[in-house]
């Protein structure tokens, strides 16, 4: 066995080659992250050559440093193969990790492959030796060398593709170089040489041969040159990248300054760890003050907590950060800043740092605040306008009431004088005034909605009968223009709880609109029920085959006083308030109205409302009914018998209370068959008939009564949700009162039964209204006194207690509410009937104050004849009550 040894100088040279090669590989490998594919693979190939070539050079120099006392030569082919193996396995391992990342799975594949390849390079190089002796290996040490190679290769790959600082890169290069050298010399320790012939000499008894030394130096020199050139290329590329980075950063800073902002950077954990000139210039804070999280002290105390919480969440979730807060600037003022920050990631996806921008948005914030204030002011002005209109009912309706009253009086005088030639003209005056009053009422309704003074009154309805009732009510209007009305009702519609009055008005408006713009066509009412979140939705669709509209016409369709165009308005008429009111009512009920139209083809309006409105805490719809339903003797028969026909027990009860209070005796029926039988047997003075009845509806009952000679002369008043006046009159009814019942309107219809004269005190600040009332009442035999305000009226009452008082509410000196309260406190005045006649919209609270009044009528809605009839009825009822013996 031949004794061996090492030349210390060449050993040191081999280790230096290994360390230098490792550093070059680390530097080049870091550039594999380049986004340019060509550059990425070029830098990967360079790193593989540097690492593989460096390992091979270290191995070859280490072999030259080995002295075994035998002459040695190297086979060129195997030596070249060992070099190719080193470069090839290193390149393959680098490529694998570049594609798959440095995760455990990728390293567990690439590391062993590269380690085994490096070991193969080593032992191939050993096999290239040509010595006069035998070469043997210790298996245990060979395995150890391979393990060292695999470990060193795995560590090399992991370190190469990490983002390292320069000092970290140098330390890693030293560790990798020593590990590779350790693998080589461990592999050499596994080798044993045995001489086959004489001629061996002691190892290193003499200095290295010149040729051997020159070869080692040549290999080392060539390796260092190659590695130096690689590092030079890396340095040049680094300078190129830095130059581009500086240009990009300068451009970015300029852009930030252009939007009145500053740029800053933070560490991966959200700390200020470097100097931030922009932040310091903006806030005046020094580095010591804003270092770490000191920057938060410059945030407004009201915004600081939310800012830090949002920043921590963004850093923790590694997602972009956006916020707006106030910052104390260097001059001590607070300014609004919009903050945006994004994480900057390395090739492995880890957050390297944060880059953020503070943009000064103080001017924008002030502008937005001004816009908000202007919007609020405009909305308040709109609400004030709506409140003004809602409160203007008295002033708006009083002149029209006078016009209508004068027209009524002149009609009566013309009839009395036989001047029939004036009757048509006076009728036109009255009709147009009533139309204008209806228009004002629509405007006031819209104003009430906008002023939030209109409420919804939910009630339970059965949908299919409700839809059929609506269709039956408007059918005469639709067929007037030769149109056909059809219903398309989905099965199992069930019931709903909604404001039936407003819903019915919406459908009347939509169907009436369709009828107005369609002639000789088809109109369809569809109803569907669809599930919704929290409550089902009712979908009403009204389609027609009329003139249709253009997109421009549709755009402004729901505006007030808006129609398709001026030509349409001239040809078809209308005010343009119907659809606006429909949309307002739909919104009030929690729904909406939409429209689809094709010019020349037709239009479809879709009304969507919730099927169940919430029940209000207190329903006031029946307040007046409850006031009128105070106990009165059911045996009071002074005004005759009235038959009430309604399938709802609560409605029958309300009607009974009301009629009993008016001096009638009452009988009731819950269905049409019973109603017909009672009418034939009892011959009532009047029949109050609902339309929606089980088995046989109200229209059929009315037709049967009018076909029977025994009952045809009995007055029938339709009291129903679908009490269409035109249809009722055409079938023989004397009047129609819609539900919820307007009790004043019902009294006006029934007052043809009662009459009587007496002393009436008219209290109104409008002299013309007093004159009209006096004229109408005196014609009916009443003695009339007048008062222009509440104080004067109290004097009249003190002088002589009247039989009845007609009272306005809005008056100077003493208003109607005060007069009523003080009059009721006077002796012998507690039971004096009081009829309130005012243009004012009486609120629920005001109605409670008017509990002492017997009736509340609204000017314009109630004609002078109806007022006179009401006075006569109350006067007669008072006389009858006074004539009854007391217990």
């Amino acid at each position: 066995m031949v004794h061996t040894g090492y030349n210390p100088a060449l050993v040191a040279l081999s280790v230096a080659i290994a360390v230098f090669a490792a550093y070059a590989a680390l530097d080049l490998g870091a550039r594999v992250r380049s986004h340019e594919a060509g550059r990425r693979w070029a830098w990967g190939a360079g790193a593989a050559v540097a690492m593989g070539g460096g390992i091979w050079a270290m191995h070859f120099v280490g072999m030259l440093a080995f002295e075994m006392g035998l002459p040695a030569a190297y086979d060129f082919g195997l030596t070249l193969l060992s070099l190719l193996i080193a470069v090839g396995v290193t390149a393959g391992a680098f490529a694998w990790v570049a594609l798959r990342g440095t995760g455990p799975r990728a390293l567990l594949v690439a590391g062993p492959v590269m380690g085994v390849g490096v070991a193969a390079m080593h032992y191939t190089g050993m096999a290239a030796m040509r010595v006069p002796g035998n070469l043997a290996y210790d298996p245990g040490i060979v395995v150890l060398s391979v393990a060292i190679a695999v470990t060193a290769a795995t560590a090399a790959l992991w370190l190469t593709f990490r983002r390292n600082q320069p000092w970290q890169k140098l330390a890693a290069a030293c560790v990798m170089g020593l590990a590779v050298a350790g693998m080589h010399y461990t592999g050499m320790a596994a080798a044993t040489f045995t001489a086959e012939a004489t001629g061996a000499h002691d190892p290193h008894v003499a200095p290295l041969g010149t040729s051997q030394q020159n070869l080692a130096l040549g290999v080392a020199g060539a390796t260092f040159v190659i590695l130096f050139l690689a590092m030079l290329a890396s340095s040049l590329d680094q300078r190129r990248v830095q130059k581009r980075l500086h240009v990009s950063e300068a451009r970015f800073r300029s852009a930030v300054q252009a939007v009145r902002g500053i740029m800053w950077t933070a560490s991966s954990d959200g700390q200020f760890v470097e100097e931030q000139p922009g932040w310091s210039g903006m806030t005046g804070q020094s580095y010591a003050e804003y270092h770490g999280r000191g920057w938060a002290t410059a945030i407004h105390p009201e915004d600081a907590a939310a800012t830090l919480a949002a920043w921590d969440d963004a850093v923790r979730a590694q997602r972009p950060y956006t916020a707006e807060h106030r910052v104390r600037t260097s001059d001590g003022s607070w300014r609004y800043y919009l903050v945006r920050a994004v994480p900057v990631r390395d090739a492995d996806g880890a957050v390297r740092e944060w880059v953020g921008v503070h943009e000064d948005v103080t001017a924008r914030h002030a502008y937005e605040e001004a816009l908000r204030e202007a919007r609020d002011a405009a909305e308040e002005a709109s609400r004030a306008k709506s409140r003004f209109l809602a409160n203007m009912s008295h002033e708006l309706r009083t002149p029209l009431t006078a016009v209508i009253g004068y027209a009524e009086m002149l009609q009566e005088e013309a009839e009395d004088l036989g001047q029939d030639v004036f009757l048509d003209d006076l009728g036109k005056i009255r009709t147009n005034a009533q139309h204008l009053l209806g228009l004002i009422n629509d405007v006031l309704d819209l104003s009430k909605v906008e002023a939030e003074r209109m409420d919804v009154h939910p009630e339970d309805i059965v949908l299919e009968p409700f839809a059929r009732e609506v269709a039956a009510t408007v059918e005469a209007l639709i067929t007037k223009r030769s149109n056909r009305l059809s219903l398309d009702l989905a099965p199992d519609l069930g019931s709903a709880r909604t404001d039936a009055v407003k819903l019915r008005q919406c459908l009347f408006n939509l169907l009436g609109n369709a009828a107005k713009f369609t002639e000789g066509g088809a109109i369809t009412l569809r109803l569907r029920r669809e599930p919704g979140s929290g409550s089902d939705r009712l979908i009403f669709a009204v389609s027609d085959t009329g003139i249709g509209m253009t997109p421009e016409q549709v755009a402004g369709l729901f505006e007030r006083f808006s129609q398709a165009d001026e030509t349409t308005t001239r040809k078809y008429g209308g005010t343009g308030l119907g659809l606006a009111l429909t949309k307002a009512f739909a919104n009030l009920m929690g729904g909406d109205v939409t429209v689809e139209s094709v010019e020349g083809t037709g239009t479809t309006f879709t009304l969507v409302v919730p099927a169940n409105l919430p029940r209000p805490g207190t329903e006031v719809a029946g307040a007046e009914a409850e006031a009128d339903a105070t106990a009165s003797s059911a045996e009071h028969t002074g005004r005759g018998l009235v038959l009430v026909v309604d399938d709802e027990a609560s409605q029958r009860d309300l009607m009974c209370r009301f009629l009993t209070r008016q001096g009638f005796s009452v009988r009731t029926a819950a269905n049409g068959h019973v109603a017909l039988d009672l009418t034939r047997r009892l011959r009532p003075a009047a029949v109050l008939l609902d339309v929606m009845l089980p088995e046989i509806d109200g229209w059929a009952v009315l037709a049967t009564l009018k076909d029977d000679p025994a009952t045809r002369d009995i007055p029938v008043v339709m009291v129903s949700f679908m009490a269409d006046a035109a249809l009722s009159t055409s079938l023989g009814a004397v009047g129609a009162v819609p539900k919820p019942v307007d009790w004043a309107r019902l009294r006006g219809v029934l007052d043809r039964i009662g009459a009587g004269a007496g002393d009436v005190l008219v209290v109104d600040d409008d002299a013309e209204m007093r004159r009209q009332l006096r004229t109408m009442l005196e014609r009916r035999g009443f003695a009339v006194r007048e008062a222009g305000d509440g104080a004067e009226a109290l004097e009249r009452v003190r002088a002589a207690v009247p039989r009845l008082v007609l009272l306005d509410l809005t008056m100077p000196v003493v208003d109607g509410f005060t007069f009523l309260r003080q009059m009721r406190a006077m002796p012998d005045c507690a039971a004096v009937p009081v009829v309130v006649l005012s243009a004012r919209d009486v609120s629920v609270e005001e109605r409670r104050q008017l509990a002492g009044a017997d009736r509340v009528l609204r000017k314009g809605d109630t004609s002078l004849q109806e007022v006179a009839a009401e006075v006569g009825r109350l006067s007669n009822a008072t006389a009858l009550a006074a004539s009854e013996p007391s217990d």
Side-chain angles (χ1 to χ4, degrees):
M1 183 174 66
V2 179
H3 295 285
T4 60
Y6 288 93
N7 183 285
L10 292 182
V11 170
L13 180 60
S14 68
V15 173
I17 291 173
V19 172
F20 195 41
Y23 187 87
L26 288 174
D27 194 49
L28 295 173
R31 305 184 184 283
V32 176
R33 298 180 179 85
S34 172
H35 296 292
E36 302 176 27
R39 291 182 180 274
R40 183 167 63 248
W41 290 111
W43 290 120
V49 171
M51 177 64 79
I55 292 174
W56 178 86
M58 182 280 305
H59 161 78
F60 195 78
V61 172
M63 292 288 292
L64 293 176
F66 181 67
E67 176 57 48
M68 63 195 119
L70 294 173
Y74 292 91
D75 181 80
F76 178 78
L78 289 178
T79 301
L80 180 61
L81 177 62
S82 68
L83 173 61
L84 296 177
I85 291 174
V87 174
V89 296
T90 304
F94 275 22
W96 180 267
V97 174
L99 291 174
R100 299 301 179 94
T102 56
R105 291 186 178 181
L107 288 177
L108 288 177
V109 173
V113 169
M114 181 175 172
V116 171
V118 169
M121 176 276 300
H122 172 78
Y123 289 107
T124 301
M126 292 288 289
M129 296 179 63
R130 296 292 181 261
V131 295
N134 296 321
L135 176 62
Y137 292 99
D138 184 331
I141 299 178
V142 169
V143 171
L144 177 60
S145 69
V146 173
I148 293 174
V150 170
T151 303
T154 304
L157 290 172
W158 181 69
L159 291 171
T160 298
F161 289 93
R162 286 183 73 246
R163 187 172 295 277
N164 301 301
Q165 298 294 330
W167 67 268
Q168 293 174 319
K169 191 183 300 182
L170 180 59
C174 292
V175 172
M176 287 175 58
L178 292 173
V180 170
M183 179 278 300
H184 169 77
Y185 289 107
T186 301
M188 292 297 295
T192 302
F193 292 90
T194 304
E196 292 182 349
T198 59
H201 56 80
D202 293 332
H204 303 300
V205 295
L208 286 171
T210 302
S211 60
Q212 186 179 18
Q213 185 177 12
N214 291 339
L215 180 60
L217 293 175
V219 170
T223 302
F224 279 122
V225 169
I226 293 173
L227 295 178
F228 175 76
L229 291 175
M231 293 185 66
L232 179 62
S234 175
S235 177
L236 292 175
D237 182 72
Q238 181 69 20
R239 291 183 62 185
R240 180 186 65 83
V241 171
Q242 288 293 338
K243 183 177 180 181
R244 290 179 59 186
L245 183 61
H246 285 312
V247 172
S248 177
E249 184 176 352
R251 185 184 299 115
F252 182 65
R253 289 186 183 277
S254 299
V256 171
Q257 292 174 358
V259 294
R260 297 177 58 83
I262 60 104
M263 185 179 71
W264 48 265
T265 60
S267 61
S268 59
D269 59 352
Q271 309 281 339
F272 276 7
V273 295
E274 298 178 354
E275 291 190 3
Q276 308 292 333
W279 182 265
S280 181
M282 180 178 74
T283 64
Q285 288 184 314
S286 64
Y287 176 72
E289 290 174 323
Y290 64 71
H291 179 71
R293 293 213 167 187
W295 54 267
T297 58
I299 308 301
H300 195 283
E302 295 178 2
D303 303 335
T307 295
L308 286 172
W311 178 240
D312 289 339
D313 290 343
V315 171
R316 189 181 307 109
Q318 299 183 356
R319 54 175 171 76
Y321 168 72
T322 302
E324 186 173 306
H325 55 220
R326 287 163 286 181
V327 178
R328 186 182 59 248
T329 56
S330 56
D331 61 2
S333 63
W334 295 99
R335 298 188 68 83
Y336 284 89
Y337 283 88
L338 177 64
V339 192
R340 296 186 182 91
V342 294
V344 179
R345 304 178 184 273
D346 58 21
D348 297 329
V351 175
R352 184 182 68 198
E353 63 179 355
W354 289 80
V355 175
V357 173
H358 265 67
E359 178 187 352
D360 190 338
V361 294
T362 305
R364 189 202 72 188
H365 196 275
Y367 178 69
E368 291 176 349
E369 183 65 25
L371 281 180
R372 282 193 292 271
E373 291 176 357
R375 180 201 62 194
D376 293 343
E379 290 178 351
E380 179 57 31
S382 178
R383 286 192 292 269
K385 176 264 300 178
S386 297
R387 288 193 296 268
F388 171 76
L389 287 176
N391 290 326
M392 282 291 290
S393 60
H394 176 80
E395 287 73 11
L396 291 172
R397 290 179 177 130
T398 296
L400 283 176
T401 303
V403 173
I404 295 171
Y406 278 123
E408 292 173 350
M409 292 170 55
L410 290 173
Q411 278 184 302
E412 286 195 356
E413 291 182 0
E415 288 178 348
D416 293 342
L417 297 173
Q419 301 289 332
D420 295 342
V421 67
F422 298 113
L423 292 179
D424 287 343
D425 293 335
L426 292 172
K428 292 176 182 178
I429 293 174
R430 178 180 178 183
T431 300
N432 282 280
Q434 289 174 333
H435 174 71
L436 183 56
L437 182 62
L439 173 61
I440 290 176
N441 287 335
D442 285 345
V443 173
L444 292 175
D445 282 342
L446 282 170
S447 299
K448 287 180 185 178
V449 173
E450 292 181 354
E452 299 177 354
R453 293 183 54 180
M454 179 170 284
D455 299 321
V456 293
H457 302 288
E459 58 183 281
D460 295 322
I461 61 172
V462 181
L463 289 171
E464 183 175 349
F466 175 84
R468 296 189 183 280
E469 171 193 338
V470 169
T473 303
V474 300
E475 188 169 12
L477 177 64
I478 291 174
T479 56
K480 183 178 179 180
R481 295 177 63 87
S482 303
N483 295 312
R484 302 182 310 279
L485 175 63
S486 60
L487 288 177
D488 181 6
L489 307 179
D492 302 324
L493 289 172
S495 61
R497 182 170 180 78
T498 187
D499 191 322
V501 175
K502 292 181 177 62
L503 180 58
R504 183 182 295 103
Q505 185 63 50
C506 290
L507 293 176
F508 283 169
N509 289 344
L510 295 178
L511 289 166
N513 188 78
K516 182 167 64 174
F517 295 105
T518 306
E519 185 170 2
I523 297 174
T524 304
L525 171 61
R526 297 182 178 86
L527 174 55
R528 299 287 185 272
R529 187 185 190 116
E530 290 185 356
S533 57
S535 173
D536 290 352
R537 300 188 307 162
L538 303 180
I539 302 176
F540 296 85
V542 176
S543 301
D544 64 62
T545 58
I547 62 175
M549 293 175 287
T550 65
E552 292 76 14
Q553 292 170 335
V554 170
L557 192 60
F558 293 105
E559 299 294 331
R560 292 185 181 189
F561 304 104
S562 172
Q563 289 194 343
D565 52 38
E566 294 182 0
T567 304
T568 303
T569 303
R570 289 193 298 268
K571 181 175 180 180
Y572 295 97
T575 63
L577 278 178
L579 292 178
L581 191 60
T582 298
K583 190 171 185 67
F585 281 174
N587 295 155
L588 192 63
M589 292 186 289
D592 201 4
V593 180
T594 57
V595 59
E596 295 179 359
S597 185
V598 178
E599 187 177 13
T601 300
T603 303
T604 298
F605 286 91
T606 303
L607 169 65
V608 181
V609 294
N612 292 286
L613 288 177
R615 294 177 180 268
T618 303
E619 294 191 16
V620 299
E624 184 175 354
E626 292 295 333
D628 288 332
T630 53
S632 180
S633 173
E635 302 299 325
H636 205 302
T637 59
R639 300 188 65 187
L641 173 67
V642 175
L643 175 63
V644 175
V645 186
D646 201 301
D647 61 333
E648 294 185 8
S650 60
Q651 186 64 32
R652 294 196 302 271
D653 180 62
L654 287 174
M655 296 293 290
C656 286
R657 293 187 183 187
F658 167 74
L659 292 169
T660 301
R661 178 67 179 267
Q662 309 310 309
F664 294 99
S665 58
V666 184
R667 292 293 297 271
T668 63
N671 60 66
H673 294 299
V674 174
L676 291 172
D677 180 62
L678 289 177
T679 304
R680 294 186 182 103
R681 289 193 295 109
L682 301 177
R683 303 292 178 88
V687 176
L688 301 185
L689 179 61
D690 188 16
V691 173
M692 299 309 301
L693 297 173
E695 300 179 15
I696 175 173
D697 65 22
W699 301 125
V701 172
L702 177 60
T704 302
L705 290 176
K706 294 306 173 182
D707 287 340
D708 187 345
T711 58
R712 67 175 54 169
D713 295 328
I714 297 175
V716 177
V717 180
M718 306 305 296
V719 183
S720 174
F721 285 116
M722 51 185 300
D724 178 68
L727 181 61
S728 301
T729 302
S730 66
L731 293 178
V734 297
V737 178
K739 291 181 180 179
V741 176
D742 183 340
W743 304 105
R745 183 171 179 177
L746 180 59
R747 282 193 297 271
V749 175
L750 293 175
D751 273 341
R752 70 187 63 199
I753 302 170
D759 179 32
V760 178
L761 176 61
V762 178
V763 187
D764 198 308
D765 61 332
D766 186 343
E768 290 300 326
M769 176 57 70
R770 295 199 306 270
R771 193 179 73 81
Q772 293 177 33
L773 290 171
R774 172 186 284 276
T775 301
M776 186 64 67
L777 291 172
E778 288 180 345
R779 285 180 180 175
R780 305 210 175 187
F782 291 98
V784 179
R785 291 184 292 161
E786 299 181 26
D789 57 61
E792 184 180 350
L794 290 172
E795 292 298 326
R796 298 283 189 274
V797 173
R798 292 188 185 98
V801 176
R803 291 281 302 276
L804 184 142
V805 177
L806 270 175
L807 177 64
D808 189 17
L809 294 177
T810 307
M811 296 182 297
V813 187
V814 175
D815 63 17
F817 299 99
T818 306
F819 165 79
L820 179 60
R821 185 172 62 254
Q822 294 182 11
M823 190 200 74
R824 288 302 189 205
M826 296 171 65
D828 301 324
C829 292
V832 173
V834 176
V835 176
V836 173
L837 181 63
S838 175
R840 183 188 187 116
D841 277 327
V842 181
S843 67
V844 175
E845 178 59 31
E846 290 172 340
R847 193 171 294 281
R848 293 193 183 98
Q849 297 179 42
L850 295 176
D854 293 77
R855 302 292 178 268
V856 179
L857 306 178
R858 192 166 74 172
K859 291 179 181 178
D861 289 351
T862 307
S863 67
L864 292 178
Q865 290 93 336
E866 291 173 330
V867 174
E870 178 65 19
V871 170
R873 191 201 60 72
L874 279 176
S875 179
N876 185 52
T878 304
L880 288 173
S883 65
E884 288 186 349
S886 58
D887 293 335

